[in-house]
Structure formats: C-alpha cells, structure tokens
Amino acid sequence: NAGVTQTPKFQVLKTGQSMTLQCAQDMNHEYMSWYRQDPGMGLRLIHYSVGAGITDQGEVPNGYNVSRSTTEDFPLRLLSAAPSQTSVYFCASSPSPRVPPLHFGNGTRLTVT
Amino acid sequence: QKEVEQDPGPLSVPEGAIVSLNCTYSNSAFQYFMWYRQYSRKGPELLMYTYSSGNKEDGRFTAQVDKSSKYISLFIRDSQPSDSATYLCAMRGPNAGGTSYGKLTFGQGTILTVHP
C-alpha cells in the first residue's frame, strides 16, 4: 500500500514550458486535491476532484489544468510555466470530500526560471 | 486580511514543555477544524479533526475550539524532540452545499523545535 505517490520529486522549467505533475493513489479514495505551498502562505488549494470525471477549481486555479479519468490518478498540468509558479506542490486524497485530506504525497518541488 | 491567521514562530521549547499553538479566523462559516503536522521535506499528516466548540484529546495532543471567539488551539503535553515540525491549522465550511464544500483554508504554519 503506497498511499499517495507524486512524481517527479524535483523539476526545473524555463518560462513558457509546459509539464504535468503526476499523482496516484491506491486506496480507492473518491476525493483528491492539489495544493501549492509557498513560504508564509500556508497551503492553497489549486483544483480538486470528488470522483472520476468531476473536477472543480480551488482558490488559485489560474495557469493549471486537471482531469480525473480514473479514480487512481489526478494529474496537474502547467500550461505555460511562469516564475510565479515556483512552489512546492502537494497532492492529497481522502475517502470523500466530507473527510479532510488524510494522505498527502511528499511533494514536487518546482522551480521556474 | 487573511481568513486564517497563524503565528509563524519559530517556537523553540525544551523537552517536556507544554506547547500551545494557535490560529484565529474571520469566516464564521467555518465549521470543521484540523491540525496537521509537517516534517521537513514531507507532506502534511492529519493530527486532529474537530467539529464543535470544546476540547478533543488524543494522547499528548489536545485540540481546542472556541467558535464564539473564532480561535483554535493545539496543546502538546510533555513535548518530545520528535514533535519538532511545522504545525498547520486548517478549516472549512459545511459538508453540504455552498462553495466551501470540501475546500480547506490553511494557516501559514508554525515552526516548532523541541530541544533535548
């Protein structure tokens, strides 16, 4: 039982490049979410999903896309990277949106130059 | 003004001390309150989850919620060096309906160091 797995652990991008951050969970959790963590800002919700085929925006969705084609996977796409997207990104899951995020991945540290 | 305010610290205490971590909030719609612990280079882990005003105890940890004052606290008794981490408060609105469904708002986190 691996919990929530995020890849890659580190990534450096140039401004304007695109990439996908991967997130997978093996606990059959309905609810998955993406957060970014910046110094002095806590964690801020980017996008979330309450089940396969259903996604919605969080607090800071601009510049990011998500999809949820399976229960297990919830990738986050950066469409055109900007230096303001330099951050640590965390994926989280829980059995339902009524339960707070129980399992977090160990994060992807992204630098945009 | 941020919806959730948390003193970032850092907070440094000797082993065995009682630690008090606090958050204030402005949104009266918040009904569910959580505390997460985050070790360096790791994802947060859920420590405590409370709904109503009052106290909830789990081992050395006690979560306290005062909705009338919009104030929550986490107390750690007999603190250990292994408690050294960043502690994040988080909260959200009702389960059913509304734009807050399933969405958490986090505090900035308090960095705690417990010295042996």
Side-chain angles (χ1 to χ4, degrees), chain A residues 36-85:
Chain A
R36 58 177 289 173
Q37 186 173 35
D38 302 292
M41 301 291 291
L43 279 84
R44 291 181 292 168
L45 181 65
I46 305 171
H47 285 285
Y48 65 98
S49 168
V50 299
I54 306 169
T55 64
D56 204 349
Q57 296 181 351
E59 181 185 354
V60 287
N62 292 341
Y64 307 95
N65 272 356
V66 291
S67 59
R68 185 97 178 267
S69 56
T70 67
T71 299
E72 294 77 21
D73 299 300
F74 190 43
L76 178 72
R77 282 182 288 278
L78 278 69
L79 308 172
S80 177
S84 61
Q85 294 178 305

Side-chain angles (χ1 to χ4, degrees), chain A residues 6 9 21 35-38 43 46 85-90 106-110, chain B residues 38 41-42:
Chain A
Q6 288 185 240
K9 292 182 180 178
L21 281 63
Y35 292 86
R36 58 177 289 173
Q37 186 173 35
D38 302 292
L43 279 84
I46 305 171
Q85 294 178 305
T86 293
S87 188
V88 182
Y89 292 85
F90 289 100
N106 284 326
T108 294
R109 284 156 181 79
L110 175 67
Chain B
Q38 184 177 23
R41 301 282 183 174
K42 297 291 187 183

